[in-house]
Amino acid sequence: MQKENIARVFIFVVFFGIGAAALGVSILSGDLLRFYYGRSRLEAAKESVLRLQSLNSDYDALLKQVQTEPNITERIAKATLGEQSAETNANIIYPKATFEQLAVAKETLAKNSNCDAVKPAIPRWLERCSKSPNRLALFLSGAFLILISFIWFRK
């Protein structure tokens, strides 16, 4: 008699647990999707913040260098604008970028800085469970399993 009761309790717990899990997933699938989307956006925002912090540190170093060396602004202006003065060394070569090279560089930077293109890592089971017919089937099967566990395994 004791073994029979233990088996009934075990089967009740298994059926009720599976039914409650199915019911919970069908009800909470929208919230779980929002959780995974939010987590992916958080990761993208963290990467963006790290990139901005590295840019800030680079600009801080440049500002310190500008404050300590008075001639650096002239050298940066000449290198940026591509001007060559008579007093510059003849061995210095200033690179000239073509329009195509600048377009390719701009496109590469735009691809790297696009935070909205990050696809969230949603588990496949959640994608399947979040579809409307599957949600309904999960809900009904979970409810039936709970009903079966209460009706058939009562004492």
Side-chain angles (χ1 to χ4, degrees):
M1 191 68 174
Q2 183 68 15
K3 288 183 182 181
E4 184 180 308
N5 285 337
I6 292 174
R8 289 176 71 130
V9 168
F10 178 73
I11 293 173
F12 171 78
V13 168
V14 169
F15 274 42
F16 184 80
I18 292 172
L23 206 60
V25 167
S26 70
I27 291 171
L28 297 175
S29 65
D31 292 333
L32 289 171
L33 282 175
R34 279 193 296 274
F35 168 75
Y36 280 106
Y37 279 118
R39 192 167 72 173
S40 68
R41 286 182 184 162
L42 178 65
E43 291 298 322
K46 284 181 181 178
E47 290 175 8
S48 177
V49 165
L50 289 175
R51 204 171 335 122
L52 288 173
Q53 285 176 344
S54 71
L55 282 174
N56 280 341
S57 65
D58 291 345
Y59 286 134
D60 287 341
L62 278 175
L63 287 174
K64 284 182 182 177
Q65 200 172 18
V66 166
Q67 290 172 351
T68 57
E69 294 184 31
N71 296 332
I72 197 164
T73 55
E74 293 175 17
R75 290 194 316 231
I76 290 174
K78 289 177 185 175
T80 303
L81 298 175
E83 297 175 357
Q84 294 181 0
S85 64
E87 59 192 45
T88 59
N89 191 350
N91 294 332
I92 298 176
I93 298 174
Y94 293 106
K96 302 283 186 194
T98 64
F99 179 73
E100 291 83 17
Q101 291 171 335
L102 291 175
V104 169
K106 185 177 181 181
E107 183 178 322
T108 304
L109 288 173
K111 283 181 185 176
N112 290 341
S113 66
N114 192 0
C115 294
D116 295 335
V118 176
K119 186 179 184 313
I122 298 174
R124 290 181 61 197
W125 64 267
L126 184 59
E127 288 178 357
R128 289 191 308 264
C129 292
S130 64
K131 294 179 182 171
S132 184
N134 294 347
R135 279 180 79 176
L136 181 62
L138 268 176
F139 183 83
L140 292 177
S141 64
F144 285 133
L145 275 174
I146 290 173
L147 284 175
I148 287 171
S149 64
F150 277 121
I151 292 172
W152 284 3
F153 299 111
R154 67 179 176 190
K155 195 160 188 180

